[in-house]
Amino acid sequence: MVALDMFLPLPQAFAVVCALVVMLSGWLGVAPAAYAQDNTVDYTLTDLSFRDFSGKQLSGTSFAAAEMREANFEKADLSKTILTKASFLRANLAGANLAGTFADRVIFDGADLSNAIFTDALLTSSSFGDANITGADFSGAIIDRFQTAQMCKRADGVNETTGMATRDSLGCR
């Protein structure tokens, strides 16, 4: 038997396996993954551009492949959500809680992520170009090395909720 990590680095291999489990459970009529069961609202494949979700309780929701260009999620609870292939281009996620999210291949380019909490999130193949990450906490998150290196160039501040310095949470040297 050939190991998946022979072809993909371990974080990407893990992301692929998780995505396959979610897809197979849907095809077999099995209940969706536990993350999506917490909240009955499903925003998968929807256009939520320019919508206001500030302060909303959205934990466990699915936003897979959703378009959220310039949407407002300031101080929203997005913990344990599924964000795979979503776009938060220039969105406001200041102070949002994204702890434990499955955010594979998500676009955060130009987004305001100041004081956002990404602890223990899976952020493989996601992009953070020109995002404001001041005070964001990425402790325990799985992030591609290239993205981490790029974010370390501009990482600054301390998260006002967790007290963790952005540079420390990214492991910047």
Side-chain angles (χ1 to χ4, degrees):
M1 182 168 190
V2 177
L4 187 57
D5 64 351
M6 287 178 63
F7 301 104
L8 294 171
L10 191 56
Q12 282 85 358
F14 177 74
V16 169
V17 170
C18 288
L20 288 172
V21 168
V22 170
M23 287 189 305
L24 285 174
S25 65
W27 289 335
L28 297 174
V30 179
Y35 286 143
Q37 291 178 357
D38 293 344
N39 192 326
T40 58
V41 179
D42 185 352
Y43 293 107
T44 299
L45 295 168
T46 57
D47 187 349
L48 304 170
S49 297
F50 309 103
R51 297 263 310 264
D52 185 6
F53 291 93
S54 57
K56 299 286 184 190
Q57 173 54 254
L58 301 164
S59 180
T61 305
S62 176
F63 289 93
E67 176 66 44
M68 292 162 284
R69 179 182 308 260
E70 297 185 43
N72 184 7
F73 287 91
E74 185 174 7
K75 297 190 178 189
D77 183 359
L78 293 161
S79 61
K80 300 179 185 173
T81 55
I82 298 172
L83 305 176
T84 300
K85 295 181 78 175
S87 176
F88 286 96
L89 187 66
R90 294 186 304 275
N92 180 4
L93 291 141
N97 181 3
L98 293 111
T101 59
F102 182 71
D104 180 60
R105 295 170 286 162
V106 176
I107 299 168
F108 291 106
D109 296 349
D112 183 355
L113 305 176
S114 58
N115 289 301
I117 300 169
F118 284 96
T119 55
D120 301 318
L122 182 66
L123 302 167
T124 54
S125 300
S126 293
S127 63
F128 297 87
D130 296 322
N132 175 3
I133 60 168
T134 303
D137 185 352
F138 294 94
S139 300
I142 298 173
I143 309 168
D144 295 340
R145 288 181 191 157
F146 175 78
Q147 287 299 318
T148 301
Q150 295 302 306
M151 288 192 288
C152 282
K153 292 177 184 176
R154 63 183 191 279
D156 193 26
V158 175
N159 187 280
E160 59 190 31
T161 303
T162 67
M164 176 61 81
T166 301
R167 291 189 60 76
D168 292 342
S169 72
L170 286 168
C172 301
R173 294 180 184 169

